[in-house]
């Protein structure tokens, strides 16, 4: 066999230069920007044409590698350098201009071609932002791998809001709100707004106003609530303000004055829920420590006054705390005995927060729901009611009202049947009492 080496074919001359030039055009970020900008300048303000151009270009250009550059161009007109301490305004985008506005944020390099057909130079109104949202939506639906890069771009832009003009921030806020409403991005991107500097200078709160307005306009407050809960941010809205202004009252006034009363009410409700959870946790800790009932009751009443908590809400918290405090037996025949013993011990605590008929009714409903949701307690309901009746926690009026009209659907037939004989006894006892009073008269 010949030892002669087989030479691989090589590209020489013009073919080699052409291939290298094509590779540079596809993979070099500068050339990538030049290509995208040129296409956008040709399409102009026709956003349908822009969407078609971006769709077609994805087959020729490396969107995956240069996703950040692509989104920078679509938002700001060119690549942003977030490490530099100035941002060039769109009005100064001329070949020889060097004017900048000092602020920490992004800057557009002077030696690169830019486009004025981008989000930041668009008209500042909701309809225009909805049209831009469609451009991004179509692009990401066509190239699914851009989803992560797009979210990262939004996070980055939010972190450097101080580097943009008020008008640019407004447009970005409206666009972000629309994208959130339509599920194009996750609400987790809002974490960027909790940046200390943005919060301190009031940028986060002002941006949030525009964002939530466009979100609610596009969908409703339920969409906002659901998305925030999904990412665990439903209790963090107050963090849009610095510590010295981080109160429900300030939040409510700020957003109500801005026309977002729905958001103010939601935040207030979330704070109330948070306060109730903290109170429940504190109650359980006090019970675990074996604190005296009078101390637990005094502490709870102080929290009621401080957080404007009604007695009806409080009895629900106390019931949940009392029932969560113990580890229940899994055997149905033993759990009733355990529950009676446990509730007999804690009946003074329940009694302290059932001074009103409405509180008694709410406690009965909570008991009904608990016994239904915890199947081992299904046969314990009547015995618990009788115990709390004897302990003066529940009155006959409350029990009769619950039986006739105030019960809920959960396990209704089972629990009404359980209570039938006791209710009849209460009615007879009431009639005998009235008869005795009439005879005495």
């Amino acid at each position: 066999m010949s030892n002669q080496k087989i030479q691989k074919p090589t590209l020489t001359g013009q073919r080699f230069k052409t291939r290298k030039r094509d590779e540079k055009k596809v993979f070099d970020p500068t050339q990538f920007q030049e290509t995208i900008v040129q296409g956008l300048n040709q399409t102009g303000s026709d956003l349908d044409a822009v969407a078609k151009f971006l769709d077609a270009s994805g087959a020729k250009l490396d969107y995956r590698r240069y996703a950040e550059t692509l989104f920078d161009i679509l938002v700001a007109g060119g690549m942003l350098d977030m490490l530099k301490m100035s941002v060039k305004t769109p009005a100064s985008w001329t070949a020889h201009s060097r004017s900048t506005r000092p602020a920490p944020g992004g800057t557009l390099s002077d030696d690169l071609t830019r486009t004025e057909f981008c989000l930041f130079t668009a008209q500042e109104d909701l309809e225009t932002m909805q049209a831009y949202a469609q451009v991004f939506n179509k692009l990401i639906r066509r190239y699914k791998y851009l989803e992560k890069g797009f979210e990262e771009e939004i996070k980055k832009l939010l972190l450097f809001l101080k580097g943009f003009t008020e008008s640019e921030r407004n447009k970005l806020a409206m666009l972000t709100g629309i994208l959130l409403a339509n599920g194009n991005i996750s609400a987790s991107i809002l974490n960027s707004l909790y940046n200390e500097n943005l919060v301190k200078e009031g940028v986060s709160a002002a941006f949030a106003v525009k964002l939530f307005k466009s979100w609610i306009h596009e969908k409703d407050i339920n969409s906002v609530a659901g998305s925030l809960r999904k990412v665990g941010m439903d209790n963090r809205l107050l963090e849009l303000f610095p510590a010295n202004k981080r109160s429900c009252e300030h939040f409510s006034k700020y957003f109500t004055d801005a026309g977002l009363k729905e958001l103010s009410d939601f935040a207030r409700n979330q704070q109330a829920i948070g306060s109730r959870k903290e109170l429940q946790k504190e109650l359980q800790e006090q019970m675990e420590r074996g604190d005296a009932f009078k101390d637990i009751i005094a502490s709870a009443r102080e929290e009621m006054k401080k957080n404007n908590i009604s007695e009806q809400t409080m009895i629900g918290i106390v019931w949940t705390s009392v029932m969560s405090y113990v580890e229940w037996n899994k055997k149905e025949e033993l759990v009733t005995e355990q529950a009676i013993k446990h509730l007999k011990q804690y009946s003074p605590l329940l009694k302290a927060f059932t001074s009103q008929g409405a509180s008694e009714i709410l406690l009965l409903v909570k008991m009904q729901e608990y016994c239904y949701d915890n199947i081992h307690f299904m046969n314990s309901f009547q015995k618990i009611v009788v115990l709390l009746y004897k302990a003066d926690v529940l009155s006959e009026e409350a029990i009769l009202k619950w039986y006739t009209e105030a019960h809920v659907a959960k396990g209704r037939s089972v629990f009404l049947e359980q209570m039938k004989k006791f209710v009849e006894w209460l009615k007879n006892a009431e009639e005998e009492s009235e008869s005795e009073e009439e005879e005495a008269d």
Side-chain angles (χ1 to χ4, degrees):
M1 181 180 290
S2 173
N3 292 326
Q4 185 178 359
K5 293 182 179 179
I6 300 175
Q7 291 187 346
K8 295 180 180 179
T10 59
L11 292 171
T12 58
Q14 187 61 37
R15 286 179 62 201
F16 178 79
K17 291 177 182 176
T18 302
R19 177 167 175 176
K20 292 298 288 182
R21 186 165 59 248
D22 289 344
E23 286 178 354
K24 185 177 180 182
K25 182 178 180 180
V26 174
F27 298 110
D28 181 74
T30 304
Q31 291 299 316
F32 179 89
Q33 169 156 328
E34 293 286 341
T35 305
I36 293 294
V37 167
Q38 184 180 4
L40 291 176
N41 286 340
Q42 288 174 353
T43 58
S45 58
D46 184 348
L47 293 183
D48 286 334
V50 168
K52 289 176 183 177
F53 162 71
L54 293 172
D55 185 294
S57 297
K60 298 176 286 185
L61 301 174
D62 195 347
Y63 280 179
R64 190 184 298 273
R65 179 177 295 184
Y66 296 115
E68 183 178 7
T69 302
L70 174 63
F71 292 128
D72 276 358
I73 297 167
L74 294 176
V75 172
M79 284 191 290
L80 292 166
D81 184 351
M82 295 299 175
L83 297 177
K84 296 186 179 180
M85 299 298 289
S86 63
V87 179
K88 189 171 291 298
T89 61
S92 65
W93 291 354
T94 59
H96 304 291
S97 174
R98 292 292 184 271
S99 63
T100 59
R101 50 184 165 86
T107 184
L108 292 162
S109 176
D110 278 327
D111 56 359
L112 293 175
T113 305
R114 309 172 201 83
T115 180
E116 291 193 23
F117 300 105
C118 63
L119 180 77
F120 281 174
T121 57
Q123 193 171 330
E124 188 184 325
D125 60 67
L126 197 59
E127 186 178 351
T128 303
M129 294 305 104
Q130 288 170 331
Y132 266 89
Q134 279 300 310
V135 171
F136 285 108
N137 184 38
K138 288 176 183 177
L139 176 62
I140 292 165
R141 279 169 55 192
R142 176 67 176 84
Y143 300 102
K144 294 285 289 182
Y145 58 80
L146 288 175
E147 280 183 350
K148 185 178 179 181
F150 186 50
E151 282 205 4
E152 291 302 315
E153 175 75 8
I154 299 295
K155 288 178 187 177
K156 177 189 77 175
L157 293 170
L158 265 54
L159 277 173
F160 291 94
L161 286 175
K162 286 167 63 179
F164 307 129
T165 65
E166 182 180 355
S167 177
E168 290 167 351
R169 290 197 292 265
N170 290 343
K171 294 168 193 174
L172 183 60
M174 286 189 282
L175 174 74
T176 305
I178 294 165
L179 294 170
L180 284 164
N182 294 316
N184 301 124
I185 53 177
S186 165
S188 62
I189 59 100
L190 298 177
N191 272 308
S192 296
L193 292 181
Y194 298 128
N195 175 275
E196 186 179 353
N197 290 326
L198 295 177
V199 170
K200 185 179 178 181
E201 297 194 22
V203 174
S204 293
F207 186 87
V209 167
K210 292 287 184 180
L211 183 151
F212 285 117
K213 272 190 172 181
S214 64
W215 190 342
I216 292 171
H217 180 273
E218 196 77 5
K219 285 291 174 68
D220 54 34
I221 190 63
N222 294 325
S223 169
V224 174
S227 296
L228 293 179
R229 288 193 186 104
K230 190 175 181 180
V231 296
M233 294 177 67
D234 48 320
N235 290 318
R236 297 190 62 194
L237 288 174
L238 267 61
E239 295 176 40
L240 291 168
F241 296 98
N244 63 336
K245 295 180 179 178
R246 202 168 292 167
S247 69
C248 243
E249 291 70 27
H250 181 78
F251 184 97
S252 181
K253 186 177 187 316
Y254 185 91
F255 281 94
T256 299
D257 290 349
L260 284 166
K261 187 177 183 301
E262 286 179 301
L263 187 69
S264 299
D265 292 343
F266 170 72
R268 189 177 291 278
N269 185 53
Q270 291 305 114
Q271 279 300 111
I273 292 171
S275 297
R276 292 197 289 269
K277 285 181 179 178
E278 285 299 312
L279 179 53
Q280 182 179 319
K281 182 181 176 183
E282 176 61 25
L283 281 171
Q284 287 179 270
E285 289 174 354
Q286 288 173 322
M287 285 186 277
E288 287 171 6
R289 291 196 302 264
D291 291 3
F293 285 150
K294 65 181 180 63
D295 295 331
I296 297 176
I297 291 166
S299 174
R301 283 179 173 157
E302 187 178 332
E303 287 297 319
M304 286 173 67
K305 186 177 180 181
K306 178 182 174 183
N307 294 298
N308 196 28
I309 297 173
S310 68
E311 188 183 77
Q312 290 76 49
T313 300
M314 192 66 207
I315 190 58
I317 295 170
V318 172
W319 168 261
T320 303
S321 300
V322 168
M323 297 304 283
S324 301
Y325 166 56
V326 66
E327 186 174 339
W328 297 106
N329 200 302
K330 299 299 181 185
K331 294 183 178 179
E332 188 175 326
E333 62 272 18
L334 297 176
V335 77
T336 300
E337 183 182 343
Q338 184 187 10
I340 295 300
K341 184 179 178 181
H342 178 67
L343 289 169
K344 187 175 183 180
Q345 179 186 352
Y346 284 94
S347 59
L349 194 57
L350 294 167
K351 185 178 179 181
F353 301 101
T354 50
S355 65
Q356 303 168 18
S359 304
E360 295 179 57
I361 295 294
L362 191 136
L363 176 58
L364 279 160
V365 170
K366 288 288 182 184
M367 290 161 53
Q368 179 186 350
E369 291 174 336
Y370 185 89
C371 290
Y372 178 82
D373 292 337
N374 298 271
I375 194 167
H376 299 300
F377 283 84
M378 283 293 285
N379 292 323
S380 305
F381 180 76
Q382 185 265 354
K383 292 181 175 66
I384 294 173
V385 173
V386 172
L387 167 73
L388 297 182
Y389 170 74
K390 290 179 178 179
D392 290 329
V393 175
L394 297 172
S395 65
E396 61 184 69
E397 292 83 8
I399 295 170
L400 292 173
K401 185 173 183 179
W402 170 86
Y403 185 83
T404 56
E405 60 182 86
H407 53 262
V408 292
K410 287 186 173 182
R412 176 175 54 194
S413 59
V414 174
F415 298 134
L416 291 181
E417 182 61 32
Q418 281 184 29
M419 291 292 294
K420 188 175 181 180
K421 289 184 179 180
F422 182 61
V423 167
E424 287 175 359
W425 180 85
L426 285 176
K427 287 179 178 178
N428 290 333
E430 187 178 20
E431 288 172 2
E432 288 176 8
S433 176
E434 288 175 356
S435 178
E436 288 174 1
E437 286 178 4
E438 287 175 2
E439 289 176 5
D441 291 341

